[in-house]
Amino acid sequence: MNVPLSLLLFAQLIGTAATTTTGSEYVSLEDQLLGEGSLTGRRTGRLYCRVGIGFHLQIHPDGRVNGTHEPNSLSVLELFAVSQGVVGIRGVFSNRFLAMNRRGRLHAIEKFTEDCKFRERFQENSYNTYASVTHKNHRTGREWFVALNKRGKAKMGSSPRVKSQHVSTHFLPRLYLHEKTEQGFTITDRHKERTKQAPPKPPAPKRAINTGHKRPQTVKYWPKFRFG
């Protein structure tokens, strides 16, 4: 290899390294998760909790998290996969991510952080539970779950009453499919297909409507011819 050519290649490598380190902006965790092609398993729908009279988890634009009995725009959520068994929950209308702080309190934030990661587990009763990946009871190892009380308020995940066996932590995903397609088939009998169907009945004659006006009578006149 010639010396000038090797120097040229070395200069190109230095230039590309400089642009990637100093010229480009810092890529946040949210941009990495929401980047094109890095996000898989998007699911849009609602999370229904069967506690009390039944509530849908909703995220407000001001960061509040609670439940509503009647579904609305605040209860439309987007669940996306972060890693195997770990999901993130975003409010479509509020554009905020569900998070749990170190005290176990549920809230919503604008940027996706480690507090927004929840471990999704499928229960035997067809409901799901969502436990915080980052925060838990480090002394006993007990996980902190997303939960609502019977009045629709968010419960503290650090509460000893919030367990995976309690109905307050059970959520049923009610997903919304943008494209619904139905495919099916029918089995028919050949003998039934060969039988001739009865001819359709002729339509009943229309009845004349009495409008109160008499129809003019047509008078036929035959002229008489005389010869002679």
Side-chain angles (χ1 to χ4, degrees):
M1 179 182 293
N2 297 330
V3 177
L5 182 59
S6 61
L7 293 176
L8 180 61
L9 293 175
F10 183 72
Q12 290 180 353
L13 290 175
I14 294 176
T16 54
T19 54
T20 53
T21 55
T22 60
S24 61
E25 297 180 355
Y26 174 74
V27 180
S28 63
L29 180 60
E30 180 188 6
D31 296 335
Q32 294 178 6
L33 293 174
L34 301 181
E36 183 178 358
S38 64
L39 199 59
T40 58
R42 288 179 179 270
R43 293 172 292 168
T44 304
R46 292 182 173 89
L47 291 179
Y48 174 77
C49 183
R50 65 190 186 106
V51 67
I53 60 176
F55 296 95
H56 295 87
L57 184 67
Q58 62 179 0
I59 298 177
H60 296 263
D62 57 357
R64 292 183 296 113
V65 177
N66 57 7
T68 174
H69 180 62
E70 296 294 336
N72 52 31
S73 59
L74 294 177
S75 62
V76 179
L77 308 176
E78 183 185 53
L79 283 74
F80 53 90
V82 179
S83 60
Q84 184 176 4
V86 178
V87 298
I89 303 174
R90 182 181 69 91
V92 177
F93 179 80
S94 62
N95 197 21
R96 287 177 175 264
F97 298 92
L98 181 67
M100 181 182 291
N101 59 12
R102 59 183 180 179
R103 297 179 56 188
R105 177 177 174 271
L106 287 177
H107 62 287
I109 56 180
E110 297 180 354
K111 300 294 182 179
F112 190 92
T113 62
E114 295 294 330
D115 295 345
C116 303
K117 294 182 179 180
F118 296 93
R119 194 175 306 278
E120 184 182 38
R121 291 191 179 94
F122 300 95
Q123 304 299 321
E124 297 179 355
N125 57 358
S126 301
Y127 283 81
N128 296 352
T129 56
Y130 298 91
S132 175
V133 176
T134 306
H135 304 291
K136 62 180 179 180
N137 192 328
H138 297 283
R139 183 173 58 86
T140 61
R142 185 179 60 86
E143 293 181 313
W144 294 353
F145 294 90
V146 178
L148 299 175
N149 62 11
K150 61 181 180 180
R151 296 182 180 179
K153 295 183 179 181
K155 301 181 69 174
M156 296 288 290
S158 57
S159 175
R161 297 182 179 180
V162 178
K163 301 179 181 180
S164 60
Q165 298 83 5
H166 199 266
V167 294
S168 62
T169 62
H170 294 177
F171 290 88
L172 180 64
R174 294 179 173 178
L175 305 180
Y176 172 74
L177 301 178
H178 297 279
E179 296 180 0
K180 295 183 179 180
T181 57
E182 296 182 357
Q183 296 180 356
F185 61 92
T186 57
I187 301 176
T188 57
D189 192 358
R190 293 183 178 180
H191 299 285
K192 293 183 179 180
E193 289 182 354
R194 292 178 181 177
T195 57
K196 296 182 180 180
Q197 299 180 357
K201 296 181 179 180
K206 297 182 179 180
R207 297 180 178 179
I209 301 175
N210 187 9
T211 59
H213 300 283
K214 294 183 179 181
R215 293 184 179 180
Q217 297 181 358
T218 304
V219 179
K220 295 182 180 180
Y221 175 75
W222 298 95
K224 297 180 180 180
F225 298 94
R226 292 183 179 181
F227 298 94

